[in-house]
Amino acid sequence: MTEYELVDTFYTIAELSDQLIVSFISLLFAFLVASYLVSAKLDRQMAALVLVPYSFMALRYIAIYYNVSDDLMTLAVTINELRMQPTSSMGWLEIGGGMSIMFFGTAAAMLLSFVASIVFFFYMRKRQVE
């Protein structure tokens, strides 16, 4: 791969990472609104029918984000190694450290918000029944 292709791939994967977060937040928000509006009206079977696909998709987004972030960090290391070579034309590109902490923190926040949304679902079921 050329240096240009590596940088282009890096930014493409970063865009994908951001799109995964946006899609996850959209799914999360839709579930929270649905939980608020209809969770108490669902019987047990329908609640399970809502929770299972939501959980699958939310956990899928988290897993894909984590894998994409890992790929992005690996690519960043590769680019930084190539950038240090005297023949490199990527001296202008500076990929900062701390990416792994940011990506891990984002994945953890996504997982925590998923768990919180499930808790909210059952809280709203209980609250509206009382």
Side-chain angles (χ1 to χ4, degrees), residues 6-7 10 75-83 90 93 95:
L6 285 172
V7 173
F10 179 82
L75 184 56
V77 168
T78 302
I79 289 172
N80 276 332
E81 288 172 357
L82 285 174
R83 188 176 141 308
M90 291 190 296
L93 180 64
I95 300 173

Side-chain angles (χ1 to χ4, degrees), residues 65-82:
Y65 174 80
Y66 185 78
N67 286 329
V68 166
S69 297
D70 190 46
D71 293 343
L72 192 59
M73 288 183 291
T74 302
L75 184 56
V77 168
T78 302
I79 289 172
N80 276 332
E81 288 172 357
L82 285 174

Side-chain angles (χ1 to χ4, degrees), residues 4-128:
Y4 174 79
E5 290 171 331
L6 285 172
V7 173
D8 185 55
T9 302
F10 179 82
Y11 284 116
T12 301
I13 294 173
E15 264 181 55
L16 172 63
S17 175
D18 287 345
Q19 185 58 45
L20 287 167
I21 293 170
V22 168
S23 297
F24 175 79
I25 290 172
S26 298
L27 176 69
L28 179 72
F29 183 72
F31 182 75
L32 291 174
V33 169
S35 295
Y36 181 77
L37 296 175
V38 299
S39 63
K41 298 172 186 162
L42 300 174
D43 62 16
R44 285 182 183 248
Q45 291 82 12
M46 289 305 292
L49 193 63
V50 168
L51 286 173
V52 168
Y54 166 69
S55 297
F56 173 77
M57 290 305 295
L59 293 172
R60 179 180 169 272
Y61 277 126
I62 295 167
I64 292 171
Y65 174 80
Y66 185 78
N67 286 329
V68 166
S69 297
D70 190 46
D71 293 343
L72 192 59
M73 288 183 291
T74 302
L75 184 56
V77 168
T78 302
I79 289 172
N80 276 332
E81 288 172 357
L82 285 174
R83 188 176 141 308
M84 296 301 174
Q85 294 179 358
T87 59
S88 176
S89 63
M90 291 190 296
W92 57 272
L93 180 64
E94 188 133 351
I95 300 173
M99 284 178 46
S100 60
I101 294 169
M102 181 184 65
F103 289 139
F104 180 73
T106 302
M110 290 169 76
L111 185 60
L112 182 63
S113 61
F114 163 70
V115 171
S117 70
I118 299 295
V119 170
F120 180 75
F121 178 84
F122 287 109
Y123 171 77
M124 291 308 297
R125 277 180 65 86
K126 182 180 176 189
R127 184 170 174 240
Q128 292 176 1

